[in-house]
Each structure stands twice: as C-alpha cells, then as structure tokens.
Amino acid sequence: LELSNLNNPVLRDLMIRAPGSYHHSIMVGTLAEHAAEAIGADVLLARVGGYYHDIGKMKNPHYYIENQFGGFNIHEKQPPHLSKTMIASHVKAGIRIGLDRKLGQRVIDVIAQHHGTTLVVYFFEKAKREAQGAVNEEEYRYSGPKPQTVEAAIVMMADSVEAATRAMNTAKLSKLKAVCEKILNRLFTDGQLEES
C-alpha cells in the first residue's frame, strides 16, 4: 500500500528523470488494476506492478520514445542490435533499482517479467531490412522470464496495449479494440502467458 502512494521517492524520481515513462506507468497501473479487479486477481499488486514496471528507464530515459521530445530519435543513427540492447536494458536496471530501494520481491518479479521473452519487433524488422538476409530472432528477444503470476501477465498486457494505443492517436473505439485484440493474441500465440 505504501508503494501505491504516488509521492513515493522512486516514482517521484521517475517523474523527474523520465516524465513520459512516468505517465505511461501510471496509465499501465490503472489498466492493470481494473483488469485484476475484473478477474479476481490481486488488484493492489497489479496496480503497483504497473506503476514500477519501467523504473529502469530512469537510467537512460532518452532511449525511450515516450521521453524523446523535440523530434530527435537516437535510434535512427544506431544499429538495430545496439538499440535493442539499450531498450531491453531497462528491465535489469529496474531490478537493480527495485533491490536498492527495497520494493519487495513481488514487485521486483513484475519488473523482471513484464516483457517476458517477447520480440522487440521494430528493431528485429529494421535488422532484417538492413541485413537483407537472415537475422537470428532470438537475439532480438527479451531475456525473460515469462510472467509467472497472473498479475505479471496483466501488467505485460496493459503495458503492451497502452503503448500501442497511445501511438495510434485515435479515439475510434473499433480501431482501438482491434489493435488491443491483435496485441493480446500475439502475446498468447507467442506463448508469453503459458506460465502464468
């Protein structure tokens, strides 16, 4: 319950260092809370897991699109494998911050599992275009583990749909619903939910 306070020092640090990631995380926490409530999961853990899932983005906030203001995207000038490595690094950084700030194992587990072993599609596709040949898909996946609890799976889904729908820039319900269903089906068919 203490971690759900938006004045928590970790969340205040996130708000100052990575304001776009902070807003995204609050939205993910809200979505996760409502989803957990709908299925009888741990509502508080889902909300708090959503709030803290991206705290590792404080380390290099400019690598994440939600914190890039002014039109410059650092990834345009970097090779895709380096971009993928930097993007994926927020999970390990988040675990370290969680341990340092004593967030508790259940919250740290959500941080560790919120991407599972999903494919970083954008940089995988960019690598294929640049290589004009075969690219090892495993090199463009998060290291995992896959979500081990219902709450971690909920945060994974909330994270995915919040980011995608924000980027769409539309309020048309049918389009938003179609994108959400596509994302959730992709997570399911990729086996990301099978351990939760």
Side-chain angles (χ1 to χ4, degrees):
L1 190 58
E2 287 176 19
L3 293 176
S4 71
N5 184 339
L6 297 181
N7 285 318
N8 183 285
V10 178
L11 293 177
R12 286 178 33 209
D13 287 348
L14 181 63
M15 181 175 51
I16 291 166
R17 295 181 190 174
S21 296
Y22 170 81
H23 182 263
H24 162 72
S25 295
I26 299 307
M27 296 304 296
V28 169
T30 302
L31 290 170
E33 175 182 31
H34 290 290
E37 187 174 49
I39 66 167
D42 186 331
V43 173
L44 188 56
L45 177 59
R47 177 164 40 110
V48 169
Y51 286 174
Y52 291 85
H53 79 284
D54 272 349
I55 59 173
K57 291 183 178 181
M58 287 190 279
K59 186 172 181 190
N60 290 300
H62 59 286
Y63 275 97
Y64 305 94
I65 192 77
E66 68 267 23
N67 299 310
Q68 293 174 356
F69 306 107
F72 175 71
N73 184 340
I74 195 167
H75 300 291
E76 291 173 8
K77 299 197 183 272
Q78 287 189 165
H81 195 270
L82 177 59
S83 291
K84 176 268 173 190
T85 300
M86 292 307 298
I87 291 292
S89 72
H90 81 278
V91 176
K92 287 185 177 149
I95 293 167
R96 280 193 300 278
I97 293 168
L99 290 169
D100 290 345
R101 302 285 187 101
K102 298 178 177 30
L103 297 184
Q105 194 58 52
R106 293 174 64 192
V107 175
I108 293 168
D109 288 345
V110 172
I111 294 168
Q113 298 165 19
H114 80 276
H115 281 295
T117 59
T118 56
L119 182 65
V120 185
V121 176
Y122 180 83
F123 296 115
F124 175 64
E125 295 297 332
K126 183 179 178 186
K128 287 196 314 189
R129 283 191 308 274
E130 290 180 5
Q132 296 180 347
V135 175
N136 184 356
E137 183 178 297
E138 292 305 310
E139 292 179 14
Y140 287 86
R141 286 187 173 274
Y142 283 91
S143 60
K146 293 177 182 178
Q148 301 295 302
T149 63
V150 171
E151 293 79 13
I154 288 171
V155 170
M156 171 189 269
M157 291 183 278
D159 181 32
S160 299
V161 300
E162 197 286 327
T165 55
R166 181 175 17 90
M168 287 177 61
N169 199 20
T170 183
K172 193 165 184 177
L173 188 58
S174 61
K175 287 185 179 184
L176 293 168
K177 185 177 180 184
V179 166
C180 290
E181 287 178 358
K182 181 180 177 183
I183 289 167
L184 298 180
N185 284 333
R186 186 182 71 230
L187 292 172
F188 179 77
T189 56
D190 193 31
Q192 297 302 316
L193 307 177
E194 63 191 10
E195 296 179 17
S196 59

